[in-house]
Amino acid sequence: GGLAVARLARVAVPAGARSRSLDPGGTVLVSGVGMIGGLVARHLVTEHGIRHLLLASRRGPDAPGAVELREELSALGADVALVACDTSDRDATAALLASVPSTRPLTAVVHTAGALDDAVFTALTPGHLDAVLAPKADAAEHLYELTRDRDLAAFVLFSSAAGTLGNPGQANYAAANAYLDALAHQHRADGHPTTTLAWGYWTQASDLTGGLGDSDRGRLARSGIVGLSAGEGLALFDAALASGEPVVLPVKLDIAALGRGGSEEVPALLRGLVRRPARRAVHTASADRESLAQRLAGLADADRDRLLLDLVRTHAAAVLGRGASDVIGPEQAFKQLGFDSLTAVELRNRLNQATGLRLPATLVFDHPNPTALARHLRDELLPDVPPPVDPNAREADIRRVLASVPLSRLREVGVLDALTRLADAAVEAPPVAKADETDLIAAMDADSLVARALGSAAS
């Protein structure tokens, strides 16, 4: 009874599912008229000879740049209908498709619409899921159900490499795109010409990437994902249509950058591209934790805290794309510094690698500034070492104890006279007769004073 092992095999694509050339006389529906939707629409007109376009988005003519896009395409000789339609609404989508005249029937669909609502996995709510799944997954399902009986040359879905490679803080977005990828596989198996393009990063700012800052671009560069130019992206669009494959990943990679990242920073699917000893990463995490803990154990409390604070501030500055750690204030809130879900997870990953710990994705939100985070690292690395004692807190405790003891008891053990002389010495010159003893008492802290008084009483 041996164990049966599944084997991968290439499944032949049904003849009806192979992509055909787009018919210039038919109508092509493009959902989403943002940066990428606009580039695709122009490309369909200039390179594929399409003369009838139906451009649909939630805001229609009110979407930024939509009217200008229509005028540009019209000047190129295309007939363009610009319509407001929420394709996540099935009835609205049915009405949109019904508006296509029979004289120039629908021959292709390109679904580019999407939305982001990032949050770490533990913070995701139904609202986060709805905001991302509706325009991406629901809309794709409606478009397919309502066009499956039409003779389409191509049904193209734009997803993201996040669905294949994963991306910190984008579990909802990854799920929406993975759904599109699965949908394409199912449709191809059913004999329909569906292709999903799981895009990487485009250098030209879009509705989804327009808000990226320097730290976001730096994170992408460190991850090995290189931006696609508009020309590269459109050439890959054509190659995907011609491939006949249900899912393709048009992603540009910097293999050298992948090799410079830590093992946790390289997506599992890409680790085979990076030459690194297989067992080294596992062994190194434990070794790093032990070596750092040993180094901390040999330091004084103040030096220990300073080292960990410098560690946190250095990595926080690197994640935010800032040159020096001294621009990160020890008590400055991470939110105030500009950390979001993605940068918070990257900082967690960096600290995991530097310390050998396995820290949670919510680390930055649980410990909201560098000082608090450094203290948490100290507690994790040295769990058996008590935290340093605050001398001011210790003195306050002694004062409370002294205040709770009756004066008669202090007199019985011989402490009251010493305390009285100490108090008098703080406000007036010490008596000449006992100058040496008074000076000595005045120089003592509360612990020494009590020890001296109780020691005298015991003798």
Side-chain angles (χ1 to χ4, degrees):
L3 179 65
V5 178
R7 295 180 180 273
L8 295 178
R10 180 175 293 277
V11 178
V13 178
R18 298 185 184 279
S19 299
R20 309 194 308 267
S21 297
L22 301 180
D23 180 5
T27 297
V28 176
L29 165 63
V30 178
S31 70
V33 291
M35 182 277 291
I36 292 180
L39 287 174
V40 170
R42 293 184 190 91
H43 186 68
L44 290 171
V45 171
T46 59
E47 299 299 323
H48 291 267
I50 301 301
R51 287 295 171 261
H52 307 289
L53 284 173
L54 176 58
L55 306 183
S57 69
R58 290 191 178 192
R59 298 176 61 182
D62 294 331
V67 172
E68 291 79 2
L69 174 63
R70 180 177 60 189
E71 292 174 352
E72 178 185 350
L73 297 174
S74 297
L76 292 171
D79 175 64
V80 182
L82 186 58
V83 180
C85 177
D86 179 0
T87 49
S88 67
D89 181 329
R90 194 179 192 282
D91 291 339
T93 305
L96 172 72
L97 295 172
S99 69
V100 179
S102 58
T103 53
R104 47 177 187 271
L106 188 72
T107 56
V109 172
V110 183
H111 178 46
T112 73
L116 291 175
D117 195 2
D118 295 346
V120 294
F121 181 76
T122 53
L124 285 177
T125 66
H128 287 106
L129 295 172
D130 290 343
V132 174
L133 288 169
K136 183 72 74 171
D138 291 350
E141 185 65 35
H142 296 156
L143 286 168
Y144 175 68
E145 290 176 355
L146 294 167
T147 62
R148 63 185 304 168
D149 294 331
R150 305 196 185 200
D151 184 24
L152 298 184
F155 186 89
V156 185
L157 302 172
F158 278 27
S159 75
S160 166
T164 303
L165 305 178
N167 205 21
Q170 292 190 321
N172 54 346
Y173 188 61
N177 289 294
Y179 179 86
L180 262 61
D181 299 345
L183 205 63
H185 279 288
Q186 181 61 55
H187 294 173
R188 283 277 176 174
D190 291 342
H192 299 283
T194 302
T195 299
T196 292
L197 284 77
W199 291 103
Y201 167 57
W202 291 60
T203 54
Q204 190 166 337
S206 69
D207 293 343
L208 299 185
T209 63
L212 292 181
D214 291 340
S215 61
D216 300 302
R217 298 180 192 281
R219 175 178 53 79
L220 286 167
R222 290 189 294 275
S223 73
I225 304 295
V226 180
L228 292 165
S229 68
E232 289 171 328
L234 294 172
L236 289 170
F237 170 82
D238 290 342
L241 287 183
S243 72
E245 295 291 338
V247 178
V248 296
L249 269 74
V251 180
K252 191 175 182 181
L253 297 175
D254 180 351
I255 303 301
L258 281 175
R260 290 192 295 269
S263 60
E264 289 190 9
E265 297 178 9
V266 181
L269 195 64
L270 301 180
R271 288 175 191 167
L273 302 176
V274 180
R275 293 189 176 182
R276 182 183 292 113
R279 301 182 61 182
R280 182 175 178 274
V282 176
H283 193 67
T284 301
S286 176
D288 287 347
R289 180 171 63 251
E290 291 176 5
S291 62
L292 181 57
Q294 289 169 356
R295 183 181 176 190
L296 292 171
L299 297 176
D301 290 339
D303 293 334
R304 184 183 300 157
D305 291 346
R306 187 177 305 112
L307 185 151
L308 289 172
L309 181 59
D310 287 346
L311 178 72
V312 171
R313 294 171 71 192
T314 297
H315 285 291
V319 169
L320 295 176
R322 302 187 183 181
S325 62
D326 57 7
V327 301
I328 308 294
E331 304 293 336
Q332 198 169 5
F334 287 118
K335 276 192 174 181
Q336 181 184 353
L337 288 165
F339 274 87
D340 57 16
S341 298
L342 300 182
T343 47
V345 172
E346 185 182 358
L347 178 57
R348 186 281 305 265
N349 290 345
R350 282 174 161 268
L351 292 176
N352 274 350
Q353 188 175 359
T355 64
L357 296 169
R358 293 183 63 84
L359 301 163
T362 56
L363 183 72
V364 164
F365 305 104
D366 296 336
H367 309 281
N369 61 55
T371 298
L373 181 47
R375 287 175 184 153
H376 176 70
L377 295 180
R378 179 196 64 205
D379 294 343
E380 290 292 313
L381 290 163
L382 300 173
D384 298 328
V385 177
V389 177
D390 184 351
N392 294 326
R394 176 64 176 156
E395 184 172 344
D397 289 339
I398 293 173
R399 290 182 182 277
R400 283 194 296 272
V401 171
L402 289 174
S404 68
V405 179
L407 292 179
S408 59
R409 181 59 180 156
L410 293 176
R411 188 178 291 110
E412 287 176 12
V413 298
V415 176
L416 185 60
D417 290 342
L419 289 174
T420 302
R421 288 197 302 273
L422 180 61
D424 291 342
V427 295
E428 61 183 31
V432 176
K434 293 188 176 182
D436 293 340
E437 182 181 356
T438 304
D439 287 344
L440 179 62
I441 292 173
M444 291 181 179
D445 60 18
D447 285 331
S448 300
L449 174 62
V450 173
R452 177 181 174 83
L454 293 178
S456 298
S459 63

